[in-house]
PDB file of all heavy atoms in Angstrom:
ATOM      1  N   PRO A 787     -14.621 -21.794   3.634  1.00 95.00           N
ATOM      2  CA  PRO A 787     -14.273 -23.014   2.906  1.00 95.00           C
ATOM      3  C   PRO A 787     -13.837 -22.630   1.496  1.00 95.00           C
ATOM      4  O   PRO A 787     -14.409 -21.720   0.907  1.00 95.00           O
ATOM      5  CB  PRO A 787     -15.571 -23.812   2.850  1.00 95.00           C
ATOM      6  CG  PRO A 787     -16.482 -23.183   3.827  1.00 95.00           C
ATOM      7  CD  PRO A 787     -16.032 -21.772   4.035  1.00 95.00           C
ATOM      8  N   VAL A 788     -12.817 -23.287   1.016  1.00 95.00           N
ATOM      9  CA  VAL A 788     -12.293 -22.908  -0.294  1.00 95.00           C
ATOM     10  C   VAL A 788     -12.775 -23.859  -1.369  1.00 95.00           C
ATOM     11  O   VAL A 788     -13.523 -23.489  -2.277  1.00 95.00           O
ATOM     12  CB  VAL A 788     -10.746 -22.871  -0.260  1.00 95.00           C
ATOM     13  CG1 VAL A 788     -10.193 -22.534  -1.629  1.00 95.00           C
ATOM     14  CG2 VAL A 788     -10.272 -21.874   0.776  1.00 95.00           C
ATOM     15  N   LEU A 789     -12.387 -25.131  -1.241  1.00 95.00           N
ATOM     16  CA  LEU A 789     -12.669 -26.080  -2.316  1.00 95.00           C
ATOM     17  C   LEU A 789     -14.166 -26.324  -2.491  1.00 95.00           C
ATOM     18  O   LEU A 789     -14.647 -26.565  -3.601  1.00 95.00           O
ATOM     19  CB  LEU A 789     -11.951 -27.407  -2.038  1.00 95.00           C
ATOM     20  CG  LEU A 789     -10.424 -27.315  -2.082  1.00 95.00           C
ATOM     21  CD1 LEU A 789      -9.794 -28.630  -1.640  1.00 95.00           C
ATOM     22  CD2 LEU A 789      -9.947 -26.946  -3.487  1.00 95.00           C
ATOM     23  N   ASN A 790     -14.903 -26.241  -1.366  1.00 93.00           N
ATOM     24  CA  ASN A 790     -16.339 -26.511  -1.452  1.00 93.00           C
ATOM     25  C   ASN A 790     -17.174 -25.283  -1.755  1.00 93.00           C
ATOM     26  O   ASN A 790     -18.397 -25.363  -1.830  1.00 93.00           O
ATOM     27  CB  ASN A 790     -16.839 -27.126  -0.136  1.00 93.00           C
ATOM     28  CG  ASN A 790     -16.184 -28.470   0.118  1.00 93.00           C
ATOM     29  OD1 ASN A 790     -15.812 -29.168  -0.832  1.00 93.00           O
ATOM     30  ND2 ASN A 790     -16.002 -28.823   1.375  1.00 93.00           N
ATOM     31  N   ALA A 791     -16.518 -24.137  -1.913  1.00 93.00           N
ATOM     32  CA  ALA A 791     -17.277 -22.910  -2.174  1.00 93.00           C
ATOM     33  C   ALA A 791     -17.751 -22.885  -3.626  1.00 93.00           C
ATOM     34  O   ALA A 791     -17.168 -23.518  -4.501  1.00 93.00           O
ATOM     35  CB  ALA A 791     -16.394 -21.700  -1.901  1.00 93.00           C
ATOM     36  N   ASP A 792     -18.845 -22.153  -3.856  1.00 91.00           N
ATOM     37  CA  ASP A 792     -19.341 -21.983  -5.222  1.00 91.00           C
ATOM     38  C   ASP A 792     -18.540 -20.894  -5.924  1.00 91.00           C
ATOM     39  O   ASP A 792     -18.025 -19.986  -5.283  1.00 91.00           O
ATOM     40  CB  ASP A 792     -20.822 -21.556  -5.192  1.00 91.00           C
ATOM     41  CG  ASP A 792     -21.693 -22.656  -4.589  1.00 91.00           C
ATOM     42  OD1 ASP A 792     -21.349 -23.838  -4.761  1.00 91.00           O
ATOM     43  OD2 ASP A 792     -22.689 -22.308  -3.922  1.00 91.00           O
ATOM     44  N   GLU A 793     -18.471 -20.988  -7.211  1.00 87.00           N
ATOM     45  CA  GLU A 793     -17.877 -19.892  -7.983  1.00 87.00           C
ATOM     46  C   GLU A 793     -18.807 -18.688  -7.911  1.00 87.00           C
ATOM     47  O   GLU A 793     -20.018 -18.884  -7.799  1.00 87.00           O
ATOM     48  CB  GLU A 793     -17.671 -20.327  -9.446  1.00 87.00           C
ATOM     49  CG  GLU A 793     -16.607 -21.401  -9.641  1.00 87.00           C
ATOM     50  CD  GLU A 793     -15.199 -20.967  -9.263  1.00 87.00           C
ATOM     51  OE1 GLU A 793     -15.000 -19.784  -8.911  1.00 87.00           O
ATOM     52  OE2 GLU A 793     -14.311 -21.812  -9.282  1.00 87.00           O
ATOM     53  N   PRO A 794     -18.280 -17.461  -7.928  1.00 89.00           N
ATOM     54  CA  PRO A 794     -16.869 -17.144  -8.149  1.00 89.00           C
ATOM     55  C   PRO A 794     -16.038 -17.118  -6.872  1.00 89.00           C
ATOM     56  O   PRO A 794     -14.841 -16.902  -6.936  1.00 89.00           O
ATOM     57  CB  PRO A 794     -16.933 -15.747  -8.751  1.00 89.00           C
ATOM     58  CG  PRO A 794     -18.126 -15.120  -8.097  1.00 89.00           C
ATOM     59  CD  PRO A 794     -19.117 -16.236  -7.902  1.00 89.00           C
ATOM     60  N   ALA A 795     -16.682 -17.385  -5.715  1.00 91.00           N
ATOM     61  CA  ALA A 795     -15.940 -17.317  -4.456  1.00 91.00           C
ATOM     62  C   ALA A 795     -14.775 -18.307  -4.450  1.00 91.00           C
ATOM     63  O   ALA A 795     -13.695 -18.019  -3.930  1.00 91.00           O
ATOM     64  CB  ALA A 795     -16.864 -17.594  -3.279  1.00 91.00           C
ATOM     65  N   ARG A 796     -14.997 -19.473  -5.072  1.00 93.00           N
ATOM     66  CA  ARG A 796     -13.968 -20.510  -5.007  1.00 93.00           C
ATOM     67  C   ARG A 796     -12.656 -20.029  -5.627  1.00 93.00           C
ATOM     68  O   ARG A 796     -11.590 -20.106  -5.003  1.00 93.00           O
ATOM     69  CB  ARG A 796     -14.469 -21.767  -5.730  1.00 93.00           C
ATOM     70  CG  ARG A 796     -13.559 -22.964  -5.592  1.00 93.00           C
ATOM     71  CD  ARG A 796     -14.205 -24.205  -6.206  1.00 93.00           C
ATOM     72  NE  ARG A 796     -13.442 -25.412  -5.962  1.00 93.00           N
ATOM     73  CZ  ARG A 796     -12.506 -25.883  -6.797  1.00 93.00           C
ATOM     74  NH1 ARG A 796     -12.228 -25.218  -7.903  1.00 93.00           N
ATOM     75  NH2 ARG A 796     -11.877 -27.005  -6.523  1.00 93.00           N
ATOM     76  N   THR A 797     -12.732 -19.538  -6.830  1.00 92.00           N
ATOM     77  CA  THR A 797     -11.512 -19.059  -7.492  1.00 92.00           C
ATOM     78  C   THR A 797     -10.912 -17.889  -6.742  1.00 92.00           C
ATOM     79  O   THR A 797      -9.697 -17.790  -6.554  1.00 92.00           O
ATOM     80  CB  THR A 797     -11.823 -18.646  -8.938  1.00 92.00           C
ATOM     81  OG1 THR A 797     -12.327 -19.789  -9.635  1.00 92.00           O
ATOM     82  CG2 THR A 797     -10.571 -18.149  -9.641  1.00 92.00           C
ATOM     83  N   SER A 798     -11.795 -17.003  -6.297  1.00 94.00           N
ATOM     84  CA  SER A 798     -11.318 -15.838  -5.558  1.00 94.00           C
ATOM     85  C   SER A 798     -10.554 -16.279  -4.309  1.00 94.00           C
ATOM     86  O   SER A 798      -9.477 -15.760  -4.006  1.00 94.00           O
ATOM     87  CB  SER A 798     -12.531 -14.979  -5.182  1.00 94.00           C
ATOM     88  OG  SER A 798     -12.121 -13.893  -4.413  1.00 94.00           O
ATOM     89  N   ARG A 799     -11.097 -17.249  -3.611  1.00 95.00           N
ATOM     90  CA  ARG A 799     -10.424 -17.728  -2.390  1.00 95.00           C
ATOM     91  C   ARG A 799      -9.143 -18.477  -2.710  1.00 95.00           C
ATOM     92  O   ARG A 799      -8.169 -18.399  -1.965  1.00 95.00           O
ATOM     93  CB  ARG A 799     -11.388 -18.615  -1.591  1.00 95.00           C
ATOM     94  CG  ARG A 799     -12.447 -17.782  -0.910  1.00 95.00           C
ATOM     95  CD  ARG A 799     -13.504 -18.573  -0.188  1.00 95.00           C
ATOM     96  NE  ARG A 799     -14.509 -17.648   0.321  1.00 95.00           N
ATOM     97  CZ  ARG A 799     -15.635 -18.030   0.911  1.00 95.00           C
ATOM     98  NH1 ARG A 799     -15.903 -19.320   1.072  1.00 95.00           N
ATOM     99  NH2 ARG A 799     -16.490 -17.128   1.353  1.00 95.00           N
ATOM    100  N   LEU A 800      -9.166 -19.214  -3.806  1.00 95.00           N
ATOM    101  CA  LEU A 800      -7.928 -19.886  -4.205  1.00 95.00           C
ATOM    102  C   LEU A 800      -6.832 -18.858  -4.466  1.00 95.00           C
ATOM    103  O   LEU A 800      -5.671 -19.059  -4.105  1.00 95.00           O
ATOM    104  CB  LEU A 800      -8.177 -20.735  -5.464  1.00 95.00           C
ATOM    105  CG  LEU A 800      -8.882 -22.068  -5.214  1.00 95.00           C
ATOM    106  CD1 LEU A 800      -9.317 -22.706  -6.525  1.00 95.00           C
ATOM    107  CD2 LEU A 800      -7.973 -23.024  -4.439  1.00 95.00           C
ATOM    108  N   LEU A 801      -7.218 -17.746  -5.069  1.00 95.00           N
ATOM    109  CA  LEU A 801      -6.238 -16.687  -5.316  1.00 95.00           C
ATOM    110  C   LEU A 801      -5.703 -16.125  -4.001  1.00 95.00           C
ATOM    111  O   LEU A 801      -4.499 -15.883  -3.860  1.00 95.00           O
ATOM    112  CB  LEU A 801      -6.853 -15.559  -6.142  1.00 95.00           C
ATOM    113  CG  LEU A 801      -7.006 -15.847  -7.639  1.00 95.00           C
ATOM    114  CD1 LEU A 801      -7.895 -14.800  -8.293  1.00 95.00           C
ATOM    115  CD2 LEU A 801      -5.646 -15.890  -8.318  1.00 95.00           C
ATOM    116  N   LEU A 802      -6.592 -15.941  -3.045  1.00 96.00           N
ATOM    117  CA  LEU A 802      -6.147 -15.450  -1.735  1.00 96.00           C
ATOM    118  C   LEU A 802      -5.181 -16.439  -1.079  1.00 96.00           C
ATOM    119  O   LEU A 802      -4.173 -16.054  -0.492  1.00 96.00           O
ATOM    120  CB  LEU A 802      -7.348 -15.209  -0.822  1.00 96.00           C
ATOM    121  CG  LEU A 802      -8.185 -13.964  -1.127  1.00 96.00           C
ATOM    122  CD1 LEU A 802      -9.434 -13.944  -0.246  1.00 96.00           C
ATOM    123  CD2 LEU A 802      -7.388 -12.693  -0.921  1.00 96.00           C
ATOM    124  N   CYS A 803      -5.516 -17.723  -1.183  1.00 96.00           N
ATOM    125  CA  CYS A 803      -4.634 -18.759  -0.631  1.00 96.00           C
ATOM    126  C   CYS A 803      -3.273 -18.696  -1.288  1.00 96.00           C
ATOM    127  O   CYS A 803      -2.224 -18.732  -0.616  1.00 96.00           O
ATOM    128  CB  CYS A 803      -5.211 -20.150  -0.889  1.00 96.00           C
ATOM    129  SG  CYS A 803      -6.616 -20.549   0.134  1.00 96.00           S
ATOM    130  N   ASP A 804      -3.283 -18.616  -2.599  1.00 96.00           N
ATOM    131  CA  ASP A 804      -2.021 -18.610  -3.332  1.00 96.00           C
ATOM    132  C   ASP A 804      -1.195 -17.381  -2.974  1.00 96.00           C
ATOM    133  O   ASP A 804       0.010 -17.479  -2.751  1.00 96.00           O
ATOM    134  CB  ASP A 804      -2.317 -18.640  -4.838  1.00 96.00           C
ATOM    135  CG  ASP A 804      -1.034 -18.693  -5.657  1.00 96.00           C
ATOM    136  OD1 ASP A 804      -0.116 -19.422  -5.249  1.00 96.00           O
ATOM    137  OD2 ASP A 804      -0.958 -18.003  -6.690  1.00 96.00           O
ATOM    138  N   LEU A 805      -1.851 -16.234  -2.912  1.00 96.00           N
ATOM    139  CA  LEU A 805      -1.122 -15.011  -2.554  1.00 96.00           C
ATOM    140  C   LEU A 805      -0.549 -15.101  -1.138  1.00 96.00           C
ATOM    141  O   LEU A 805       0.563 -14.646  -0.870  1.00 96.00           O
ATOM    142  CB  LEU A 805      -2.048 -13.799  -2.659  1.00 96.00           C
ATOM    143  CG  LEU A 805      -2.166 -13.194  -4.056  1.00 96.00           C
ATOM    144  CD1 LEU A 805      -3.303 -12.179  -4.108  1.00 96.00           C
ATOM    145  CD2 LEU A 805      -0.851 -12.533  -4.467  1.00 96.00           C
ATOM    146  N   THR A 806      -1.309 -15.700  -0.232  1.00 97.00           N
ATOM    147  CA  THR A 806      -0.810 -15.888   1.132  1.00 97.00           C
ATOM    148  C   THR A 806       0.426 -16.769   1.134  1.00 97.00           C
ATOM    149  O   THR A 806       1.453 -16.420   1.737  1.00 97.00           O
ATOM    150  CB  THR A 806      -1.888 -16.531   2.023  1.00 97.00           C
ATOM    151  OG1 THR A 806      -3.060 -15.720   1.992  1.00 97.00           O
ATOM    152  CG2 THR A 806      -1.388 -16.677   3.449  1.00 97.00           C
ATOM    153  N   ALA A 807       0.331 -17.888   0.439  1.00 97.00           N
ATOM    154  CA  ALA A 807       1.460 -18.826   0.410  1.00 97.00           C
ATOM    155  C   ALA A 807       2.688 -18.155  -0.193  1.00 97.00           C
ATOM    156  O   ALA A 807       3.805 -18.281   0.319  1.00 97.00           O
ATOM    157  CB  ALA A 807       1.100 -20.068  -0.394  1.00 97.00           C
ATOM    158  N   ARG A 808       2.481 -17.414  -1.262  1.00 97.00           N
ATOM    159  CA  ARG A 808       3.629 -16.776  -1.920  1.00 97.00           C
ATOM    160  C   ARG A 808       4.220 -15.677  -1.040  1.00 97.00           C
ATOM    161  O   ARG A 808       5.435 -15.477  -1.006  1.00 97.00           O
ATOM    162  CB  ARG A 808       3.215 -16.235  -3.279  1.00 97.00           C
ATOM    163  CG  ARG A 808       3.060 -17.365  -4.304  1.00 97.00           C
ATOM    164  CD  ARG A 808       2.171 -16.976  -5.464  1.00 97.00           C
ATOM    165  NE  ARG A 808       2.660 -15.805  -6.160  1.00 97.00           N
ATOM    166  CZ  ARG A 808       1.901 -15.025  -6.926  1.00 97.00           C
ATOM    167  NH1 ARG A 808       0.614 -15.305  -7.077  1.00 97.00           N
ATOM    168  NH2 ARG A 808       2.414 -13.988  -7.533  1.00 97.00           N
ATOM    169  N   THR A 809       3.355 -14.968  -0.321  1.00 97.00           N
ATOM    170  CA  THR A 809       3.864 -13.924   0.577  1.00 97.00           C
ATOM    171  C   THR A 809       4.660 -14.549   1.723  1.00 97.00           C
ATOM    172  O   THR A 809       5.732 -14.064   2.094  1.00 97.00           O
ATOM    173  CB  THR A 809       2.704 -13.077   1.114  1.00 97.00           C
ATOM    174  OG1 THR A 809       1.979 -12.539   0.011  1.00 97.00           O
ATOM    175  CG2 THR A 809       3.222 -11.928   1.968  1.00 97.00           C
ATOM    176  N   LEU A 810       4.131 -15.635   2.274  1.00 97.00           N
ATOM    177  CA  LEU A 810       4.875 -16.333   3.330  1.00 97.00           C
ATOM    178  C   LEU A 810       6.213 -16.821   2.796  1.00 97.00           C
ATOM    179  O   LEU A 810       7.243 -16.720   3.467  1.00 97.00           O
ATOM    180  CB  LEU A 810       4.070 -17.536   3.843  1.00 97.00           C
ATOM    181  CG  LEU A 810       2.864 -17.234   4.734  1.00 97.00           C
ATOM    182  CD1 LEU A 810       2.045 -18.501   4.962  1.00 97.00           C
ATOM    183  CD2 LEU A 810       3.321 -16.667   6.078  1.00 97.00           C
ATOM    184  N   LYS A 811       6.181 -17.346   1.592  1.00 97.00           N
ATOM    185  CA  LYS A 811       7.402 -17.894   1.013  1.00 97.00           C
ATOM    186  C   LYS A 811       8.442 -16.800   0.802  1.00 97.00           C
ATOM    187  O   LYS A 811       9.599 -16.960   1.179  1.00 97.00           O
ATOM    188  CB  LYS A 811       7.079 -18.571  -0.315  1.00 97.00           C
ATOM    189  CG  LYS A 811       8.189 -19.439  -0.844  1.00 97.00           C
ATOM    190  CD  LYS A 811       7.710 -20.325  -1.972  1.00 97.00           C
ATOM    191  CE  LYS A 811       8.668 -21.495  -2.166  1.00 97.00           C
ATOM    192  NZ  LYS A 811       8.092 -22.528  -3.043  1.00 97.00           N
ATOM    193  N   VAL A 812       8.010 -15.707   0.217  1.00 97.00           N
ATOM    194  CA  VAL A 812       8.950 -14.605   0.000  1.00 97.00           C
ATOM    195  C   VAL A 812       9.434 -14.063   1.345  1.00 97.00           C
ATOM    196  O   VAL A 812      10.628 -13.865   1.560  1.00 97.00           O
ATOM    197  CB  VAL A 812       8.314 -13.479  -0.835  1.00 97.00           C
ATOM    198  CG1 VAL A 812       9.222 -12.249  -0.849  1.00 97.00           C
ATOM    199  CG2 VAL A 812       8.048 -13.949  -2.254  1.00 97.00           C
ATOM    200  N   GLY A 813       8.496 -13.844   2.263  1.00 97.00           N
ATOM    201  CA  GLY A 813       8.856 -13.282   3.564  1.00 97.00           C
ATOM    202  C   GLY A 813       9.863 -14.153   4.295  1.00 97.00           C
ATOM    203  O   GLY A 813      10.878 -13.667   4.795  1.00 97.00           O
ATOM    204  N   LEU A 814       9.599 -15.445   4.328  1.00 97.00           N
ATOM    205  CA  LEU A 814      10.526 -16.343   5.018  1.00 97.00           C
ATOM    206  C   LEU A 814      11.837 -16.452   4.259  1.00 97.00           C
ATOM    207  O   LEU A 814      12.902 -16.610   4.859  1.00 97.00           O
ATOM    208  CB  LEU A 814       9.883 -17.718   5.225  1.00 97.00           C
ATOM    209  CG  LEU A 814       8.795 -17.739   6.305  1.00 97.00           C
ATOM    210  CD1 LEU A 814       8.056 -19.073   6.322  1.00 97.00           C
ATOM    211  CD2 LEU A 814       9.385 -17.475   7.688  1.00 97.00           C
ATOM    212  N   SER A 815      11.771 -16.335   2.941  1.00 97.00           N
ATOM    213  CA  SER A 815      13.012 -16.415   2.172  1.00 97.00           C
ATOM    214  C   SER A 815      13.905 -15.206   2.474  1.00 97.00           C
ATOM    215  O   SER A 815      15.122 -15.299   2.427  1.00 97.00           O
ATOM    216  CB  SER A 815      12.736 -16.511   0.675  1.00 97.00           C
ATOM    217  OG  SER A 815      12.444 -15.228   0.143  1.00 97.00           O
TER     218      SER A 815
END
Side-chain angles (χ1 to χ4, degrees):
Chain A
V788 178
L789 294 174
N790 297 331
D792 296 328
E793 292 296 356
R796 187 174 187 268
T797 300
S798 177
R799 286 175 185 174
L800 282 169
L801 283 167
L802 286 173
C803 286
D804 182 41
L805 275 169
T806 304
R808 285 158 58 201
T809 304
L810 286 171
K811 193 167 199 168
V812 170
L814 287 172
S815 80

